Amino acid sequence: MGIIQYLKDYYYQLPLLIQVVWLLIVFFTLYIFILISYIGFIRSSLRNKNKERIIYKRFFEDLLFKYIVATDPEEREAILIKFNEQISKKFRRKVLVSGLFGIMEQVSGEKEGLVKKIYRESGLEQLAIEDLKTTNKWDVIAGALVELMRFKIDSDETKNYAKRYINHEREEVRRKAHLYLISLFGFKGLFFLDELTEGLSEWIQIQLLENLRKFDDREMENLHSWLQSKNDTVVLFALKLARIYKRSEVKDDLFELLDHENVNIRTYTITVLVNLFGNEAKERIRPKFNALPLEEKIYFLELLEKEATPEDILLAKENLQNENTELHFLAQKIIATNSPLTIENSGYLQSAQFFPVALKSKK
C-alpha cells in the first residue's frame, strides 16, 4: 500500500500536461492488452471450430458413404435419423450441406437422386424452407435460396416462397431469387418479370441469360408483355431475349419501342430491329432519321457502316456536311467502306471537310 500511495502522491505533484500523458499511456496499454487477448481468443476459437469442422466432415462423409452403398431400407433409415439428430445445430448443418453438395457435384443419375433424397429426408430441405418462411435476415434468406438451387429442389412450395423475394430491398436476395427460378424452371421461371418493380442490373441479366442457354426457348411465352413493361430494365432484358432468340413475332412491339421515352431502350431497339429484320427495319427507320435525337442518329449510322444499301449510302452523303463531327465522320466511313472509289464518290469526300474524330465507344 505504501508504494501505491507514493505513486499517487508523485502523480498528483506532476504538471497537468504530464498527468494527461501518463493517463493516455495507461489507457492505450490496457487497450492493446485487451485487443491482444481478444485476438488470441478469436484465433483459439477458429482453431477449435476448424477442428470440429474436420471431425464432423469425416463423420458425415462416413455416414454418406454408408447410406449410398447400403441396400437395406432399415439401415438407410437409421442413417437418416443420425443425420437428423445432428442438424439441430447450425454449424453442423452447414458442414453436412457442404459435404452433400460436394458429393452431388461428383455423381450423376441414380446416385445424384440418392443425395437429393438424403437432403430431403434428413430434414435439411424443410429447414431451408423454414428459413424462407420465417426469417428476416437477408443473408439467411439468400443462403437458403442458394441451397435449394444447388440441390435442385423445384417444388411448387419452394417456387412460391422464392417468389416472395423477387422485389426484396437487398439486391443480393433478389439476385438469388431470380437465379433460383431460372435455374430450376427455365423460361417458365421468367414469370417473375411480370411482377418485378426493382431494377435488373447488367450483371444479373448476364447471369440469367447464361442460365437460360440450357433450356428450350419455345417455353418463352410472355415476351410481348415484357416489351410493354413499365420497368425499363425488364424491357431492355426482353429486347436482349428477342435479339438472342430471334423472336420475329414481336416485330410490331419492337417498332413501337422506337418512340419509348428511355433513350437506352430506343437505341437498343434500333440494334435489335436491324439485326432481326435487316433492310426492312432500315426502310422503316431511315425516313425518320432527321427527326431522331442525335444519339440515335449516331447509333443508326454506326449500324449502316458494315453493310449499307444504296439508300443508306445516299443518307450518308446527305450527312457529309453535317455540323456534328461524329455524324460527319460516320458518313465518310460509310461511303468509303461501301462505295467503290469512283470519280463521283471521290468528289464527295474531297468536297467535305475531313475531321479525324475518334468516335466514342458504345456498348
Side-chain angles (χ1 to χ4, degrees), residues 8 12 17 19 43 69 72 82 85 113 116 125 140 154 162 173 185 187 200 202 211 252 255 286 291 295 316 351 360:
K8 286 174 65 177
Y12 287 119
L17 180 61
Q19 288 182 12
R43 291 183 65 184
V69 300
D72 184 4
K82 289 183 180 180
E85 290 171 350
K116 287 179 69 174
E125 178 184 340
V140 176
D154 55 358
V173 175
F185 302 99
F187 286 94
L200 275 176
E202 284 292 330
N211 277 273
D252 293 339
F255 279 110
R286 198 186 302 110
E295 186 171 351
S351 63
K360 296 177 183 178

Side-chain angles (χ1 to χ4, degrees), residues 160-173:
N160 289 332
Y161 284 125
K163 185 180 174 182
R164 288 183 178 183
Y165 301 106
I166 60 174
N167 288 307
H168 194 273
E169 59 184 6
R170 295 292 295 239
E171 183 180 0
E172 182 68 10
V173 175

Side-chain angles (χ1 to χ4, degrees), residues 90 93-94 97 119 124-149 161-162 165 168 170 172-174 176-177:
K90 286 188 176 180
R93 171 186 165 185
K94 288 181 179 179
V97 168
Y119 180 76
L124 288 169
E125 178 184 340
Q126 197 55 43
L127 285 173
I129 292 172
E130 284 298 318
D131 285 342
L132 295 182
K133 287 169 62 176
T134 60
T135 189
N136 292 320
K137 296 179 179 178
W138 72 267
D139 55 328
V140 176
I141 296 168
L145 288 166
V146 170
E147 195 174 304
L148 293 169
M149 179 171 61
Y161 284 125
Y165 301 106
H168 194 273
R170 295 292 295 239
E172 182 68 10
V173 175
R174 296 198 304 270
K176 298 304 184 189

